[in-house]
Amino acid sequence: MIIKMDITNRKTAEEVLTIQIPSYKVEAKLIGSYDIPPLKDTIDTLQRCEECFYGYYSENKLCGALAMKIENEEMDIHRLIVDPDHFRKGIAQSLLSYAERQEGIKRINVSTGSKNTPAVRFYEKNGFQKVKEVIVNEQISLTFFEKNVIHE
């Protein structure tokens, strides 16, 4: 079940952080750098991020989350995280599909570490197009994707 979360609530922010850190540690290992912003988040930074959070719950346990901002009919996905204990269960797909169904959205933008092959393949499989690659430093480069959304 996917529900909107109130990230300004301390308990909710704690809950998100308990899956965000292990999820991004997996990405950090894949890209070869633990110097990525999501690993530096705290309860306070999450509460102040001004992103809209949706949680995927199974048996009242948070298993995944999506955080986004919407402006001018464009959605920017800032986080799409799944608890590593729940990888390969379709949770990321469910969250992304939920995001794509939001009314009034014409484009979705997202980025991931270029060396995060599972995430790159996931976005490509879902019809996202590579827009650009940005080299952050010697270890990290980001690949940016976009997808035009057509509501029927």
Side-chain angles (χ1 to χ4, degrees), residues 68-76 99-110 127-129 145-152:
M68 67 175 98
K69 288 186 180 179
I70 298 174
E71 190 174 313
N72 299 327
E73 300 178 326
E74 284 197 30
M75 175 188 295
D76 290 325
E100 290 178 343
R101 290 191 305 270
Q102 299 304 300
E103 289 296 320
I105 302 300
K106 291 189 176 173
R107 180 177 305 161
I108 300 175
N109 305 302
V110 67
F128 283 78
Q129 304 296 315
F145 296 91
E146 69 179 27
K147 179 178 182 178
N148 292 323
V149 180
I150 300 166
H151 294 282
E152 297 177 13

Side-chain angles (χ1 to χ4, degrees), residues 90-106:
I91 294 170
Q93 186 65 60
S94 292
L95 287 163
L96 182 61
S97 296
Y98 183 85
E100 290 178 343
R101 290 191 305 270
Q102 299 304 300
E103 289 296 320
I105 302 300
K106 291 189 176 173

Side-chain angles (χ1 to χ4, degrees), residues 49-65:
C49 73
E50 298 182 357
E51 296 164 21
C52 185
F53 279 75
Y54 292 87
Y56 182 102
Y57 287 85
S58 178
E59 298 176 12
N60 294 321
K61 182 181 182 331
L62 181 65
C63 301

Side-chain angles (χ1 to χ4, degrees), residues 1 19-20 23 25 29-30 36 41 45-46 48 53 57 63 66 70 89 99 103 114 125-126 142 145 149:
M1 168 178 32
I19 69 166
Q20 177 173 304
S23 179
K25 280 185 178 177
K29 185 175 182 183
L30 287 170
I36 56 177
D41 266 327
T45 60
L46 279 179
R48 292 191 314 264
F53 279 75
Y57 287 85
C63 301
L66 173 103
I70 298 174
K89 294 181 180 177
E103 289 296 320
S114 300
K125 176 186 86 161
N126 279 281
L142 297 173
F145 296 91
V149 180

Side-chain angles (χ1 to χ4, degrees), residues 8-43:
T8 64
N9 176 293
R10 185 169 184 84
K11 187 173 185 253
T12 302
E14 288 173 359
E15 190 178 27
V16 168
L17 207 55
T18 63
I19 69 166
Q20 177 173 304
I21 298 301
S23 179
Y24 278 105
K25 280 185 178 177
V26 171
E27 179 170 12
K29 185 175 182 183
L30 287 170
I31 67 173
S33 175
Y34 287 81
D35 189 29
I36 56 177
L39 288 177
K40 297 174 185 175
D41 266 327
T42 64
I43 293 164

